[in-house]
Amino acid sequence: MAGRKTGEILLKAHNVVKKFGGLTAVKEVSLDVRAGEIVGLIGPNGAGKTTFFNCLNAIAVPTSGEITFAGHSLVSQISPATSRLVFRSGLLFALLSLLWLPLVLGVVWPETFFRLEAVLALSILALFRIYLLRPLSLFRPWSRLLLIIFVLVDGICAVNWLWRSPEFSEVSFFNLFPFYPLLVPGSLLLLLASLVLLLLFNLPRVKEAFGQHLRADVITRLGIGRTFQNIRLFSSLSALDNVKLGRHCRTRANFFGIVLALPQARKEELDSAEKAAECLRFVGLGKQLVSRAGSLPYGDQRRLEIARALATEPKLLLLDEPAAGMNPTESAELITLVRRISQAGIAVLIIEHDMKVIMNLADRIYVLDHGELIASGTPVEVRSNAKVIEAYLGAQHAASEA
Amino acid sequence: MHLDDRLFTDKKLYLPLLAAVLVLPWLPMGIAGPYVLRVATLTLVYMVLALGLNVVPGFTGLLDLGYVGFFGLGAYTAGLLTVHYQWSLWLVLPLAALNGAFWGILRGAPTLRLSDDYFAIVTFGFSELIILVIRNELWLTRGPMGVPGIAQPDIFGKVLDQPWQAFYLILFFLFLVLWVVVKIRSSRLGRAWFAVREDEIAAECVGVNVASYKIIAFALSAAIGALAGAFYARWFRFIHPDMFKFWESILILCLIVFGGMGSITGALLGALILIPLTELLRIVLPAELSNARYLLFGLIIVFMMRWRPAGLLPVEKE
């Protein structure tokens, strides 16, 4: 390991699977990256390397598997179909609750609903609401608690209605106001209070229970920066603006701060310009601040993309074929650049076809073929691995080599 | 440096412009005076509209074919509130803008995942929906009878009944909107919009929450449109569903295409050239040919596309 000091595990992918319809692009790949490490990911074309990268920062959602980064789980452990079901029933629930609240209040159509039919309607709605909440109980105990609370509240409301309906038989819409205090049953307060309490005290647990798929922008904020195989710059913006966009996730000025030119927003803007320029100098583009990103030479575009990713202050940088299309001088420069990034304490996971670059840089290498992990280890180990030679050169060649 | 960056910083640029606009009502133009001032006021209204529309297709790159919906929404919100409650302009205007923003968000939320043509079709449909509601809900909007007798703008209880006062008033609102869009353009928020326009996936990967930034753009754009509509209702004193036809959306879109999509000064210049031009043609052409002015209009756009496809003041420098 060349005596490199490496820290605790930063990124851990476990059995990541990504299917596109019938095609399995990534098959149960497990991989980990430690802080400060440079890890290579290689494999023949179409091996699923880029798809795996996309899974890591939520551009693609893995079909199954676990990905943890710096203590955060990036992938939900619940299947998308289930979470969709839960989401939909939640939505329906909310809509029905909107219908249900006026019924409980009896404010909107009191003369119609202060009757037995109202109690019936209410009960049916309540039952349906409970039915909708059912999928929730799949998750964690708290949701069962929620369910119990709703049953209780709906029950109390129904009884309350039944009990009080004779009181209001003479009430009409226009002389309703004195009755308002009576009409708001204590149970409604109970409902609101319970919801507020649930949200206040259970938010982290709610999130955990749903095991949310983190969005790409959230993952960037957590500290995974990336570049793309086919360069994705904001090509009509200047190089500086591109990198300033990298600062986006580290700044927080909002609409009002910007429009009112509040000191904090202005300071932040200057700050991000400064940091962006610093990043550009770091990759050696200090002189190209105002050039249009799309009109930069190819090699500079690659470096600009790295600068943009660095501006997000990543803990882990994903580089997708950074040396593609570079001449030997440029790739030598790239090697030094990646070394410097690594020395700055940023872990690097790098996909690369240029063997010279990858063997030179990587502390460890993972090899993918047809979506499967076929080998891993130090560059020396990987180079002499029969399976790797087979994947790259074909079985026959591998045999003659051995 | 693009002209947009210099709008509020380069004194050589904005002082002469401001002076020229401020003296306009006082130029001796004899009998043509009131008419010129009317056209100038209308031009400023369209400038506000162009700036507002520019936020969505120009900044976030989503084609909006239904901007007139928000213009009409603002006009009717302000008109009806004024007629029923006689509220001050300074209460009605923010309410109209808020109402615009609300419907802008409502339109935006379900269309977040739509791209290009699909989004354009939804915007078109939504705008037609607004106008249809205005036309048919007699109890609310009086439908095809229009809303007459809307009070003129006022300030501190004083009615602004002189044409030059209305001119200065819309100039003030134009300045306000201009300030907002110029500030945003060079800020974190504006850059996030540009990123969404250029490449949504890359935008996500630098930490831009694409959905919420689109929503902000929709809200702001709709609010500005409604603001212009609200002023228009109070200034014109009469509103009618026919004033908010689909053609108006295309006209406003033409202004920013003409000036250069995404360019603030371009939007202003587009309005400055095309709106007086349509008025001029209305005078020059014989009455039976007056609708032929749209023909010339189309020709201008065709030639623009041929010779300066990026508009008069394009954002991108080659």
Side-chain angles (χ1 to χ4, degrees):
Chain A
M1 281 248 182
R4 186 189 289 276
K5 186 173 69 77
T6 51
E8 75 280 23
I9 291 178
L10 191 60
L11 174 84
K12 187 173 178 61
H14 183 66
N15 284 347
V16 174
V17 176
K18 176 69 193 176
K19 289 182 186 162
F20 293 106
L23 178 81
T24 311
V26 178
K27 278 179 216 155
E28 301 193 347
V29 172
S30 302
L31 162 159
D32 49 67
V33 180
R34 291 167 182 276
E37 221 179 0
I38 303 180
V39 177
L41 184 61
I42 62 171
N45 286 326
K49 305 181 295 290
T50 299
T51 308
F52 181 69
F53 259 31
N54 287 345
C55 290
L56 290 184
N57 76 337
I59 295 299
V61 177
T63 315
S64 67
E66 285 170 49
I67 300 172
T68 45
F69 175 75
H72 299 269
S73 169
L74 307 188
V75 187
S76 163
Q77 292 310 305
I78 294 154
S79 79
T82 318
S83 49
R84 214 172 300 136
L85 177 74
V86 170
F87 179 74
R88 281 189 191 154
S89 35
L91 208 67
L92 250 174
F93 175 77
L95 280 175
L96 276 179
S97 301
L98 281 182
L99 277 177
W100 175 78
L101 284 178
L103 276 176
V104 173
L105 281 165
V107 178
V108 179
W109 303 287
E111 68 280 7
T112 319
F113 281 116
F114 283 102
R115 302 245 175 84
L116 196 63
E117 304 95 275
V119 183
L120 268 175
L122 189 72
S123 313
I124 291 167
L125 267 179
L127 281 175
F128 193 51
R129 271 157 33 94
I130 292 162
Y131 173 77
L132 285 172
L133 271 182
R134 221 174 31 118
L136 278 182
S137 61
L138 292 174
F139 300 116
R140 293 280 148 85
W142 68 264
S143 52
R144 243 163 272 155
L145 183 72
L146 185 70
L147 211 70
I148 292 166
I149 288 175
F150 275 112
V151 173
L152 273 178
V153 169
D154 284 356
I156 292 170
C157 284
V159 170
N160 189 32
W161 266 91
L162 199 60
W163 195 256
R164 288 191 164 188
S165 52
E167 278 179 45
F168 302 111
S169 54
E170 299 304 314
V171 178
S172 86
F173 187 74
F174 295 101
N175 60 8
L176 195 67
F177 287 95
F179 291 92
Y180 270 21
L182 292 174
L183 287 171
V184 182
S187 52
L188 184 71
L189 290 176
L190 181 71
L191 167 76
L192 286 176
S194 62
L195 275 177
V196 169
L197 282 177
L198 261 174
L199 279 179
L200 274 183
F201 292 109
N202 277 325
L203 207 57
R205 284 175 71 194
V206 170
K207 279 186 177 165
E208 189 198 345
F210 277 89
Q212 85 261 51
H213 288 295
L214 294 189
R215 281 194 322 266
D217 57 288
V218 179
I219 290 177
T220 308
R221 204 170 316 132
L222 287 181
I224 299 185
R226 80 168 283 181
T227 67
F228 296 89
Q229 185 178 2
N230 47 339
I231 302 173
R232 278 172 173 266
L233 286 169
F234 306 119
S235 46
S236 76
L237 305 185
S238 71
L240 187 66
D241 276 347
N242 266 275
V243 184
K244 270 187 187 172
L245 262 160
R247 300 294 309 160
H248 185 91
C249 59
R250 303 286 167 224
T251 49
R252 36 185 5 98
N254 61 12
F255 180 82
F256 299 101
I258 292 162
V259 168
L260 301 176
L262 297 182
Q264 200 198 347
R266 271 157 51 192
K267 188 173 157 289
E268 205 178 78
E269 182 67 27
L270 290 177
D271 219 42
S272 64
E274 202 175 293
K275 288 232 173 74
E278 200 177 293
C279 286
L280 278 166
R281 278 195 297 273
F282 184 83
V283 300
L285 289 172
K287 292 202 176 90
Q288 254 103 21
L289 298 187
V290 292
S291 337
R292 217 178 128 245
S295 58
L296 286 174
Y298 189 76
D300 287 356
Q301 290 197 11
R302 285 244 175 253
R303 283 189 288 166
L304 177 56
E305 227 190 358
I306 294 174
R308 187 179 69 186
L310 286 177
T312 65
E313 292 175 14
K315 294 188 188 110
L316 168 69
L317 184 61
L318 309 178
L319 297 175
D320 197 344
E321 296 197 24
M326 283 188 171
N327 61 35
T329 332
E330 283 174 324
S331 45
E333 277 173 20
L334 181 83
I335 291 175
T336 23
L337 177 61
V338 176
R339 283 256 159 73
R340 277 164 58 218
I341 290 170
S342 171
Q343 273 154 19
I346 299 167
V348 179
L349 180 57
I350 179 169
I351 294 179
E352 189 49 69
H353 278 304
D354 189 334
M355 285 303 142
K356 202 185 279 172
V357 172
I358 202 91
M359 294 296 166
N360 211 326
L361 273 176
D363 299 319
R364 286 185 300 125
I365 294 179
Y366 289 88
V367 189
L368 283 185
D369 184 31
H370 292 100
E372 271 175 293
L373 198 62
I374 55 170
S376 65
T378 60
V380 183
E381 287 165 11
V382 164
R383 207 168 354 189
S384 54
N385 187 311
K387 271 190 181 167
V388 177
I389 297 169
E390 189 187 318
Y392 269 92
L393 303 172
Q396 225 170 6
H397 201 286
S400 68
E401 193 96 323
Chain B
M1 204 181 207
H2 194 264
L3 223 50
D4 289 3
D5 297 315
R6 292 165 47 195
L7 261 181
F8 283 107
T9 50
D10 190 349
K11 277 189 187 154
K12 277 190 215 128
L13 182 73
Y14 73 77
L15 282 183
L17 276 179
L18 195 65
V21 180
L22 282 179
V23 299
L24 187 87
W26 311 110
L27 293 179
M29 282 175 293
I31 197 157
Y35 178 67
V36 171
L37 199 55
R38 227 190 74 81
V39 173
T41 310
L42 190 70
T43 308
L44 293 188
V45 172
Y46 274 95
M47 280 181 174
V48 174
L49 284 172
L51 288 178
L53 177 63
N54 194 28
V55 170
V56 172
F59 289 172
T60 58
L62 293 159
L63 185 56
D64 186 337
L65 289 180
Y67 199 54
V68 75
F70 298 118
F71 186 42
L73 188 70
Y76 265 87
T77 312
L80 293 172
L81 286 179
T82 309
V83 166
H84 289 299
Y85 303 108
Q86 287 84 39
W87 284 347
S88 155
L89 176 79
W90 303 93
L91 180 60
V92 164
L93 219 73
L95 284 177
L98 275 180
N99 196 22
F102 173 73
W103 289 97
I105 292 170
L106 223 59
R107 182 192 77 179
T111 56
L112 283 172
R113 281 158 175 274
L114 298 182
S115 58
D116 307 343
D117 317 352
Y118 303 101
F119 179 80
I121 289 168
V122 172
T123 58
F124 167 65
F126 190 80
S127 143
E128 288 301 290
L129 213 65
I130 291 179
I131 303 306
L132 270 176
V133 168
I134 289 177
R135 189 183 295 281
N136 291 300
E137 297 306 307
L138 299 186
W139 60 274
L140 183 65
T141 64
R142 291 168 43 92
M145 291 177 286
V147 182
I150 301 166
Q152 280 174 317
D154 60 282
I155 186 164
F156 304 124
K158 192 186 161 306
V159 177
L160 302 176
D161 50 5
Q162 296 298 314
W164 63 268
Q165 290 171 327
F167 178 78
Y168 280 169
L169 190 64
I170 185 66
L171 190 63
F172 168 73
F173 290 128
L174 174 65
F175 181 81
L176 208 71
V177 169
L178 200 57
W179 175 267
V180 169
V181 289
V182 166
K183 278 287 160 198
I184 285 179
R185 202 189 82 95
S186 58
S187 74
R188 170 176 186 269
L189 180 54
R191 278 194 303 273
W193 286 343
F194 298 147
V196 171
R197 179 185 71 193
E198 301 283 320
D199 190 331
E200 278 189 27
I201 288 183
E204 278 180 19
C205 287
V206 293
V208 175
N209 183 349
V210 173
S212 66
Y213 279 89
K214 276 187 183 174
I215 291 276
I216 296 174
F218 295 150
L220 181 66
S221 172
I224 293 174
L227 180 98
F231 170 83
Y232 188 75
R234 294 292 292 255
W235 171 61
F236 205 75
R237 309 192 60 192
F238 171 68
I239 44 179
H240 187 272
D242 280 352
M243 289 168 160
F244 310 105
K245 281 188 166 163
F246 175 57
W247 153 252
E248 291 286 323
S249 292
I250 301 296
L251 174 67
I252 304 163
L253 192 64
C254 279
L255 302 181
I256 63 171
V257 170
F258 188 76
M261 206 69 123
S263 155
I264 291 167
T265 38
L268 296 180
L269 193 67
L272 185 64
I273 295 176
L274 294 184
I275 300 301
L277 187 71
T278 47
E279 290 301 316
L280 195 68
L281 287 173
R282 202 203 292 274
I283 306 171
V284 174
L285 293 171
E288 62 269 25
L289 276 180
S290 82
N291 276 334
R293 67 182 191 274
Y294 298 137
L295 209 64
L296 190 82
F297 213 85
L299 269 179
I300 292 176
I301 297 296
V302 169
F303 281 114
M304 277 294 298
M305 293 297 103
R306 175 65 188 81
W307 303 114
R308 294 202 65 142
L312 283 181
L313 298 169
V315 187
E316 278 181 46
K317 285 164 293 182
E318 297 312 319

